[in-house]
Amino acid sequence: MEAFAELSHDDQPVHSVPDDQGRLMVQGLLTATLPTAIGSALGVLAYHMDNHFHKPVYTGEPITCETTLTDVEERDDRYDIRGENVCTNADDEEVLTGSFEGVVWKE
């Protein structure tokens, strides 16, 4: 979190001063990097992402992200894809939902 705060310049007190439970609120954009694992898993080059933040995420809180491909169109040199992401906390509450569009290049 400290490295991300330095890199993003998002070092607001909620991200740098612990709350009464000793936790820091994770930057929203850091949380939004979790669903981008599909990029490395499938070789997706996203060109559009739309995220909605529903609840804050705190340090030490496990988050699960699931990606569903909603549309795949095959082209001569690539696949155009669309998908949706849902990230939940340990209480199965949605913390982030979103959609994306991108391409997977054929080799």
Side-chain angles (χ1 to χ4, degrees):
M1 288 222 3
E2 291 174 7
F4 189 84
E6 185 176 330
L7 179 66
S8 67
H9 302 287
D10 187 359
D11 58 356
Q12 302 174 57
V14 296
H15 303 310
S16 59
V17 177
D19 66 8
D20 57 356
Q21 296 177 11
R23 308 171 306 170
L24 298 175
M25 183 186 298
V26 177
Q27 292 93 340
L29 289 180
L30 182 55
T31 302
T33 65
L34 296 174
T36 66
I38 192 171
S40 62
L42 298 180
V44 175
L45 177 60
Y47 57 79
H48 179 85
M49 299 174 87
D50 185 25
N51 292 307
H52 298 272
F53 301 92
H54 303 283
K55 295 182 72 69
V57 173
Y58 294 93
T59 51
E61 182 177 19
I63 302 298
T64 301
C65 296
E66 294 186 16
T67 297
T68 303
L69 295 181
T70 58
D71 188 40
V72 178
E73 295 180 32
E74 185 173 8
R75 307 284 189 217
D76 289 339
D77 60 345
R78 69 186 186 279
Y79 298 94
D80 292 333
I81 66 168
R82 290 175 189 76
E84 297 177 349
N85 299 310
V86 177
C87 298
T88 55
N89 61 20
D91 295 325
D92 205 32
E93 300 169 314
E94 291 182 353
V95 296
L96 181 145
T97 57
S99 61
F100 66 92
E101 297 176 43
V103 299
V104 175
W105 294 103
K106 292 181 178 179
E107 298 203 21

